[in-house]
Every structure is written in C-alpha cells, then in structure tokens.
C-alpha cells in the first residue's frame, strides 16, 4: 500500500499544532471530521473506526514516546467533539432529512439543502483547494475520489436525497441499449452505482445545459434510461433552469434532473416557477472601492478590443463584454473568457499605481474584472462565506459551483413532495 506523508495543521478549540498525516486508501481525516458532525446520529458508526485511527495518529506524532491505546484515542475523540471551533455554516440542530453531497465543489448543494433544514451525512470532492474552502465553511473535510471503492465504503445507509453535480462524459453505447453497464468508466456510473446500492428516496442531479444535446442526445437518453429502467426511479423530464430567474443577476442555464424511488408512488413533479424579484448587477457589486489589481491594464484592454474586432469582422460574437450596472451578468465560468465577459465600469479608484506585474499602465476608463466576492454573490453565496484560497482558485471554484438559489428552490419542491408522502 502506497503511503505519503504530509504536514498539516489541526485545530482543536484555540489550540493549534503541527501533525503528520498518513495518506493511504483510508481517508481518516475526512472520517474524523464527518464523525464530529454526526456523533449524535446513527451515521457516526460509518466513520468512527477511522476517526479513532486519525486521533491515534495525531497523538502518536505529538507524543512519539508514549504508547497510545485505541481506548485512549476513543476517549480523546469524545472530548474533541466538544472542542470544535466555530463553523460559519453549521448543520441544523434538528434536521428533518439527510442528504449526501457528491462532486461537492465548495458546497453549493450543501448550502442550499442546509438552508432547508437538511443534514449532510457524507460529502466527496477530489480537488484539494475546493476541499480547503469546504472545510473552512462547513467544518468538514470531504472524502476524496468517489470512483474508489474505499471512498464509496464510507457512504452511510438511510439518507433521503442524493445530490450530485457530476461532470458530463460520453458513453460507449454503439449497438447497445444504453443501460447501466454501458456507463462504466464514466463518473455517472459511480453515481448510478451509489444509487443502486443505497436506494435513496430522491435524487437531484445537476449538469451543464449542453448535456441535453451531448453526443446527439445519446448521453442524456442513457442517463434517463439507467435511472428509470435499471434503478427504478420516477424521473420527470429534466428541465433547464436559469439562475437569473431565482434571485441572482446571472444568465446561467443548467439542466436539473430530479427522481423519486418508484415504490414511493410519486407520479408527478413540478419544477419551481421563477421568482418575481429581478435583481441587476448593481445589487451584487462591492460597496467599497476595490483594489487596483482588479483593473485591466491599457495593454491588455487593447488586446481584448483587437481580439473582439477580429472576430466581429468574421461574423463571430466572441469577445470581452462590459456589463452595465442595470444589466445581467453572463454565466461565470472558470477558464476561457469567463472573467473578460463580465467586466464592469467602476470609477471609484483613485490610485492607479499597479501592485501586480502588468504590462503597461492601469486603464483610467474604470474597466475592471469582478472580484471573487462579486462572483460569490452571483452564485447566491452569502457575504459570510469564507474565501480562503487565491483569487485564481476562487474564480475557478465559484465558476464551477452551482447557483445556490436555483438549487434551493428545486430542492424545496423535492422535500415538499417527500413530506407529503
């Protein structure tokens, strides 16, 4: 078994010290934090053995001369339950349902379902920077690669809703019926396998709008066939939902797929209607003047203008865009022109002295990128959400996230349907 050492910081209350963690097929750090958050319910049994092992490792490193017994580690674990530092977004004290959060990113699904009084009992995310943001806000370290059996083995029984914003991948279904076995080797297969083994009451999947036409519609057709025929779920026609219709000024279309286990007798489901509130960009912009580092240089601005002009001469609409204060932002995405298609005018800057290595002078037209906080607001995250990574990582994380208000509105419909059974 391959082992790799790393140095980390563990915090218990106001005490911090360096520890040595051992990474292997056992995700003891994630098990430890999941145990702390589930010690009052039966879910904790799924995490307790490796949570104790994690505590044992901590103390063996801090006190190498001491012999730490399993019993002593278990006693320390119970003590640590009451020594947790404040968590920005704790689970509700008296939850009414349980859910799991797959491909969790920074916790958009979790934020939405916790707001509806749900308890997250398992979460997984492979990106190390997203895991840092997730832990900073929810107090839990997500488990890692969900394609591994060792990770799936941590998933508890008895949760109500499976949530997953899984990546879109094509299936090899030439000449086949497009069933469960045909999805092997894709991340949807891992989601389907978990559904098959755990049989949650409901499922809530999110993906890019392009899933509908991906591989000439074969990908979505296979997904629906697996959910309906192989796994036994009532799945109404998926719907394209736009974040701008649920209280945030962002034109972000995503496909939502909802399902209910057949034995529950659900035969109809209505997706939420758009809200009346129609915010504009001005509602999410920073209240105070932002750093000069967000303002474009004259050189880069000219490059963008020339680039757009070349495309326009060819009849293409590709290029940068400056969103008016009373307008709606384009979808925030990571990479490509994600930030450049959401530039804004902001004339509050007084000192144009660069603080980063840019080519040329800072433009004095007031043209800047949005800040990570503004992207967070566009996705429906509250201002108290902690951003603990670099700007580059923050843009990536919010660009990859779900829009919380749209998820929450749909999840409420799911929960209402389950509550009525």
């Amino acid at each position: 078994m391959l082992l790799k050492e790393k140095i980390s910081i563990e915090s218990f209350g106001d005490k911090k010290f360096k520890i040595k963690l051992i990474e292997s097929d056992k995700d003891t750090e994630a098990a430890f934090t999941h145990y702390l958050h589930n010690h009052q319910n039966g879910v904790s049994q799924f995490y307790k053995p490796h949570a104790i092992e994690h505590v044992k490792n901590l103390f063996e490193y801090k006190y190498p001369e001491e012999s730490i017994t399993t019993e002593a580690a278990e006693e320390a674990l119970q003590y640590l339950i009451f020594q947790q530092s404040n968590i920005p977004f704790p689970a509700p004290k008296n939850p009414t349902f349980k859910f799991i959060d797959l491909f969790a990113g920074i916790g958009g699904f979790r934020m939405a379902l916790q707001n509806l009084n749900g308890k997250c009992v398992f979460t997984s995310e492979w990106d190390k920077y997203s895991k840092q943001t997730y832990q900073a806000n929810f107090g839990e370290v997500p488990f890692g690669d969900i394609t591994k059996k060792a990770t799936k083995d941590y998933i508890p029984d008895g949760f109500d809703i499976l949530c997953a914003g899984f990546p879109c991948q094509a299936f090899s279904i030439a000449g086949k019926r497009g069933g469960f076995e045909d999805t092997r080797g894709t991340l949807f297969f891992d989601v389907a396998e978990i559904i098959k083994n755990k049989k949650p009451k409901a499922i809530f999947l999110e993906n890019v709008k392009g899933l509908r036409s991906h591989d000439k519609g074969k990908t979505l057709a296979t997904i629906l066939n697996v959910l309906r025929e192989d796994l036994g779920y009532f799945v109404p026609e998926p719907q394209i939902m736009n974040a701008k219709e649920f209280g945030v000024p962002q034109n972000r279309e995503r496909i939502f797929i909802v399902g209910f286990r057949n034995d529950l007798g659900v035969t109809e489901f209505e997706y939420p209607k758009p809200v009346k509130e129609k915010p504009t960009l001005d509602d999410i912009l920073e209240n105070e003047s932002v750093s000069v580092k967000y303002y474009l240089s004259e050189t880069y601005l000219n490059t963008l203008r020339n680039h757009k002009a070349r495309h326009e001469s060819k009849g293409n609409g590709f290029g940068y865009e400056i969103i008016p204060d009373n307008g709606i932002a384009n979808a925030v995405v990571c990479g490509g022109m994600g930030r450049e298609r959401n530039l804004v005018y902001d004339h509050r800057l007084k000192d144009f002295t660069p603080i980063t290595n840019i080519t040329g002078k800072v433009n004095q037209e007031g043209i800047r990128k949005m800040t990570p906080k503004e992207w967070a607001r566009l996705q429906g995250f509250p201002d108290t959400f902690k951003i603990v990574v670099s700007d580059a990582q923050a843009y990536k994380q919010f660009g990859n996230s779900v829009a919380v208000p749209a998820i929450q509105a749909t999840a409420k419909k799911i929960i209402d349907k389950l509550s009525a059974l």
Side-chain angles (χ1 to χ4, degrees):
M1 179 171 60
L2 179 63
L3 299 180
K4 183 176 69 173
E5 295 183 355
K6 71 175 183 179
I7 299 297
S8 180
I9 298 290
E10 283 293 334
S11 175
F12 302 127
D14 58 355
K15 298 178 181 179
K16 293 184 178 180
F17 53 87
K18 288 188 176 181
I19 61 166
K20 180 170 66 175
L21 300 178
I22 303 297
E23 289 185 340
S24 67
D25 58 348
K26 298 177 182 179
D27 205 339
T28 61
E29 186 179 20
F32 170 68
T33 57
H34 276 65
Y35 179 85
L36 294 181
H37 283 259
N38 290 281
H39 68 277
Q40 292 181 320
N41 58 49
V43 173
S44 61
Q45 64 178 308
F46 292 89
Y47 308 123
K48 187 174 182 178
H50 289 162
I52 292 173
E53 182 176 338
H54 183 73
V55 173
K56 196 169 184 289
N57 289 339
L58 300 186
F59 285 98
E60 284 178 346
Y61 178 74
K62 184 169 177 61
Y63 306 107
E65 304 301 322
E66 300 290 334
S67 177
I68 308 299
T69 65
T70 299
E71 290 73 18
E74 183 173 2
E75 184 177 344
L77 178 62
Q78 301 311 309
Y79 171 77
L80 292 171
I81 287 173
F82 302 102
Q83 298 298 311
Q84 297 180 77
S85 55
N86 291 331
I87 298 168
F89 301 97
K93 293 182 179 180
N94 298 297
T96 52
F97 65 94
K98 298 174 184 176
F99 67 97
I100 68 170
D101 191 8
L102 306 179
F103 309 98
I106 58 175
F109 264 107
R110 181 166 182 156
M111 181 75 68
L113 273 71
Q114 279 193 177
N115 288 344
L116 296 170
N117 207 39
K119 176 74 173 74
C120 184
V121 295
F122 174 88
T123 183
S124 70
E125 168 58 44
W126 69 272
D127 181 76
K128 68 176 183 178
Y129 297 107
S130 294
K131 292 171 84 164
Q132 290 173 11
T133 299
Y134 198 103
Q135 181 183 19
N137 286 282
F138 300 104
E140 279 186 355
V141 176
F143 286 92
D145 189 350
I146 198 61
T147 66
K148 294 181 178 179
K149 181 181 181 300
T151 304
K152 292 189 184 81
D153 286 345
Y154 282 107
I155 301 175
D157 299 325
F159 59 89
D160 301 294
I161 305 173
L162 176 146
C163 302
F166 65 99
C168 181
Q169 296 170 288
F171 306 131
S172 299
I173 57 175
K176 302 179 182 179
R177 71 182 183 89
F180 182 77
E181 294 300 323
D182 301 317
T183 67
R184 284 190 179 276
T186 69
L187 292 169
F188 174 73
F189 173 82
D190 296 286
V191 174
E193 186 179 41
I194 294 167
I195 295 172
K196 181 179 180 180
N197 292 332
K198 299 298 180 179
K199 298 179 174 56
K201 293 177 183 178
I203 55 176
F204 185 3
L205 311 181
E206 182 264 5
N207 214 303
V208 294
K209 178 185 177 182
L211 177 64
R212 177 170 281 180
S213 57
H214 193 258
D215 195 16
K216 300 179 180 179
K218 294 178 182 177
T219 301
L220 180 58
T222 300
I223 288 172
L224 295 179
N225 187 59
V226 170
L227 295 175
R228 291 166 176 167
E229 303 301 326
D230 293 7
L231 300 179
Y233 280 74
F234 163 69
V235 181
E237 190 63 24
Q239 187 156 324
I240 303 295
M241 308 291 280
N242 198 322
K244 72 178 183 180
E245 296 179 336
F246 294 93
V248 290
Q250 180 194 177
N251 184 28
R252 184 186 191 84
E253 294 181 302
R254 291 295 185 268
I255 190 169
F256 287 5
I257 304 173
V258 168
F260 299 88
R261 208 173 60 215
N262 279 341
D263 66 299
L264 298 177
V266 177
T267 57
E268 59 180 7
F269 177 79
E270 184 178 350
Y271 282 88
K273 296 290 191 293
V275 299
K276 293 182 179 179
E277 180 186 5
K278 302 296 180 185
T280 60
L281 191 71
D282 189 55
D283 294 310
I284 63 92
L285 294 178
E286 299 265 13
N287 296 325
E288 305 295 334
S289 179
V290 305
S291 171
V292 66
K293 70 179 180 179
Y294 296 110
Y295 284 76
L296 276 60
S297 71
E298 291 179 349
T299 302
Y300 185 52
L301 188 55
N302 287 331
T303 298
L304 290 178
R305 285 170 171 157
N306 292 335
H307 185 262
K308 185 171 185 176
R310 285 196 301 271
H311 278 275
E312 287 179 342
S313 67
K314 299 176 182 179
N316 301 325
F318 180 77
Y320 78 96
E321 187 172 346
I322 303 175
I323 311 298
D325 286 359
N326 63 352
I328 300 293
N330 292 305
V332 295
V333 295
C334 61
M337 294 289 288
R339 277 166 269 180
E340 288 76 6
R341 293 191 70 242
N342 280 305
L343 300 176
V344 298
Y345 283 114
D346 187 340
H347 297 285
R348 294 174 294 181
L349 186 67
K350 302 300 182 183
D351 185 354
F352 293 87
T353 305
I355 61 174
T356 56
N357 295 323
I358 63 172
T359 302
K361 299 179 180 179
V362 174
N363 87 90
Q364 297 193 27
E365 299 173 57
I367 300 174
R368 68 168 175 85
K369 299 177 290 188
M370 289 191 200
T371 66
K373 178 180 283 190
E374 289 166 340
W375 272 35
R377 291 172 176 174
L378 284 175
Q379 291 286 49
F381 287 88
D383 284 355
T384 49
F385 190 83
K386 289 186 176 182
I387 300 174
V388 296
V389 293
S390 67
D391 280 1
Q393 286 296 328
Y395 284 123
K396 178 181 177 181
Q397 291 175 5
F398 289 117
N400 279 332
S401 177
V402 295
V404 176
I407 292 290
Q408 186 168 323
T410 305
K412 186 177 187 307
K413 287 285 188 177
I414 297 172
I415 295 159
D416 288 346
K417 183 67 70 171
L418 291 177
S419 299
L421 297 177

